[in-house]
Amino acid sequence: LLLPLLYLTPTVEQPFRAITHIAMEVSICWIAWRIADVLTTRARLLEWLEARPGLRGILPLIRQLIGIGLTAIAAAIALSELGLSLTSVMASLGLGGLAVALAAKNTLEHLLGGMTLSLDQPMRVGDLVKIGDVQGTVEQIGLRSTRIRTQDRSLVTIPNGKLSDMQIETLAARDRIRMNLSLNVQYTLKAQGLRELRDALLACIGKNSQV
C-alpha cells in the first residue's frame, strides 16, 4: 500500500515488491507453524492421548513434519517470486521426496505400523501378551518398534511394521484363566485312594473364592 508513496522506479519497484511478498508469505508460514506447535503441545495433555502412549510419542514427529512442509512451501513461493518456475521447483521437490520415501521405506512402514497400533490399541504398556513365540509384558510402544520383557527377563524388540501384521494375544484381557494341570499318581493307588485324592483337591480348590 505504501509503494506508490515511495516513488520508486520500475527497475527498483519490482524486486522490492517481490521481497515484500516473500516477507509476507514467510510470516504467514511462520504463524501457521507456531499455531501447529501450540496445538501439538496442548494435545499431549488430552486424556484420549494419555491412554495412547504410542500416538502421544508421534506428536513431536508430526510437529516436525508440519514445520518441514511449511518451510518447503515458503521456499517454493519465494523462488517463484524471484522468477523461477514453480512447476519445476515442485517437480524437483517431488522427485526428492520420492527418493527419500524409497530410501526410508522400512522406517515409514514401521512408523505407520506404530500409528496403527496406537489407534487400534490391541495392547497397552504393562499388558501381558503373546505374539508368535514371544510371551511377556509390554514395556514400551515406540515409533519404530515395541519392546516386550519376557518371563526369562530378556528384552525382545519387534518392529511395528511386522507387529501390525502379526496375531497379538492379549493375556491381560482375559476375564478368566484356565488352569490345566497334570497330576502324577502311582499305578498301585487303589480306587478309594483316587477318590480321597479327588475330594482333597476339590476341597482345596473350594477354599479359593476366585475359582
Side-chain angles (χ1 to χ4, degrees):
L1 295 176
L2 297 177
L3 278 178
L5 301 178
L6 297 178
Y7 299 104
L8 299 175
T9 61
T11 306
V12 179
E13 181 179 356
Q14 184 176 1
F16 188 81
R17 186 183 295 273
I19 293 174
T20 305
H21 288 171
I22 291 174
M24 293 174 59
E25 291 153 358
V26 170
S27 299
I28 293 173
C29 290
W30 180 80
I31 292 172
W33 182 82
R34 288 296 300 151
I35 292 174
D37 186 25
V38 172
L39 292 178
T40 52
T41 302
R42 289 183 174 249
R44 295 174 63 90
L45 304 178
L46 296 177
E47 295 182 358
W48 186 78
L49 286 177
E50 287 288 345
R52 293 165 173 81
L55 186 60
R56 190 168 179 259
I58 295 176
L59 286 178
L61 178 62
I62 294 177
R63 182 175 58 183
Q64 292 179 4
L65 292 176
I66 292 175
I68 293 173
L70 291 174
T71 302
I73 292 174
I77 294 176
L79 294 175
S80 177
E81 290 289 345
L82 295 176
L84 297 177
S85 175
L86 185 59
T87 304
S88 60
V89 173
M90 294 303 295
S92 301
L93 291 176
L95 290 175
L98 180 61
V100 172
L102 291 176
K105 177 184 176 182
N106 293 333
T107 302
L108 292 175
E109 178 185 358
H110 300 324
L111 175 61
L112 294 176
M115 295 176 65
T116 303
L117 291 174
S118 299
L119 293 174
D120 193 29
Q121 279 196 307
M123 59 182 177
R124 297 183 180 181
V125 175
D127 285 352
L128 179 64
V129 297
K130 182 178 180 181
I131 304 173
D133 297 333
V134 179
Q135 179 175 335
T137 304
V138 180
E139 282 202 351
Q140 181 182 359
I141 302 177
L143 293 177
R144 186 185 179 278
S145 60
T146 297
R147 297 179 180 178
I148 299 176
R149 179 75 65 178
T150 65
Q151 296 177 348
D152 295 332
R153 307 308 301 160
S154 59
L155 192 63
V156 179
T157 302
I158 304 177
N160 290 333
K162 296 181 179 179
L163 189 60
S164 59
D165 294 331
M166 298 176 67
Q167 180 178 350
I168 301 174
E169 183 180 356
T170 306
L171 305 180
R174 294 185 298 190
D175 56 346
R176 294 181 179 87
I177 299 177
R178 180 181 180 182
M179 303 299 294
N180 195 359
L181 302 178
S182 298
L183 300 179
N184 297 323
V185 296
Q186 296 180 358
Y187 287 109
T188 57
L189 188 64
K190 303 298 182 180
Q192 181 61 30
L194 286 174
R195 295 190 192 97
E196 294 176 357
L197 176 59
R198 181 196 62 185
D199 295 339
L201 290 173
L202 291 176
C204 180
I205 293 174
K207 295 179 181 179
N208 194 326
S209 61
Q210 295 183 348
V211 178

